[in-house]
Amino acid sequence: MYSKEEAAKLRQEFWVSFGKSFPHKWSLYRTGVKAIQFRFYFDNKKAMICIDIEGDSEEREKYFNKFVSLKRILTDFLPENNFEQHYFLENGKEIARIWVEKQQVCIYNKDTWQQVMEFLSTNMHQVEAFWQEYEDFFKEDF
């Protein structure tokens, strides 16, 4: 078991190492649509690439439905995707989320880091490629 400080240091070490091993200016929060953000996630059980849709319920529904309408295409980019319109974060906040995940990895086990870094990089590149192709569809007004 790690102390809070040791755990924080290991998490920071992972993300710094990831940035150095896979240098790229990721879109993440700069999608051009305030409600849509891309996220990396890695904890003691899994790693995830997420497309998070925030805002009020009407805005979340609007953008989530746009993703649903392109689900077949998105599946070409991210074959093992998950869609959840009502996803609750640990803090209780409701968002819509689309994600892919890698199970049985742990941020505190350096032996899993390389495979997670490759998973994160490969899948985020796929999210960005999808976004580059279809972002105008999400920027259209209804």
Side-chain angles (χ1 to χ4, degrees):
M1 200 65 149
Y2 295 101
S3 70
K4 282 186 176 184
E5 295 80 20
E6 291 169 324
K9 185 178 179 190
L10 269 174
R11 287 191 305 273
Q12 180 181 16
E13 185 181 339
F14 171 80
W15 292 111
V16 168
S17 180
F18 176 64
K20 289 179 180 177
S21 298
F22 294 88
H24 179 76
K25 187 173 181 177
W26 304 104
S27 297
L28 301 178
Y29 305 105
R30 297 177 302 277
T31 62
V33 178
K34 185 178 179 183
I36 299 173
Q37 300 175 354
F38 306 146
R39 299 189 193 277
F40 292 112
Y41 180 84
F42 186 23
D43 67 11
N44 62 342
K45 295 180 183 173
K46 65 184 175 277
M48 297 169 40
I49 294 295
C50 307
I51 301 170
D52 286 352
I53 306 165
E54 299 183 359
D56 63 30
S57 61
E58 185 178 308
E59 189 172 28
R60 287 192 315 267
E61 182 177 7
K62 175 180 82 170
Y63 288 118
F64 185 79
N65 287 337
K66 283 188 168 216
F67 276 103
V68 169
S69 74
L70 296 175
K71 188 172 184 175
R72 288 181 111 179
I73 295 167
L74 181 58
T75 299
D76 290 339
F77 289 87
L78 297 171
E80 302 295 323
N81 61 55
N82 300 280
F83 277 66
E84 193 163 330
Q85 186 171 359
H86 303 284
Y87 188 96
F88 291 90
L89 300 174
E90 288 178 9
N91 64 6
K93 180 180 179 181
E94 182 179 357
I95 65 170
R97 177 172 275 180
I98 300 154
W99 76 95
V100 294
E101 65 183 43
K102 182 169 190 60
Q103 296 269 343
Q104 299 177 344
V105 293
C106 179
I107 197 163
Y108 305 120
N109 179 354
K110 289 184 178 186
D111 292 339
T112 66
W113 284 12
Q114 186 60 38
Q115 64 180 304
V116 169
M117 287 181 198
E118 291 170 7
F119 166 82
L120 294 175
S121 178
T122 298
N123 286 287
M124 187 57 83
H125 277 295
Q126 291 297 93
V127 167
E128 290 185 334
F130 167 82
W131 188 252
Q132 185 175 24
E133 189 73 27
Y134 294 96
E135 71 180 302
D136 290 342
F137 174 68
F138 290 91
K139 293 179 179 179
E140 292 174 353
D141 290 330
F142 279 179

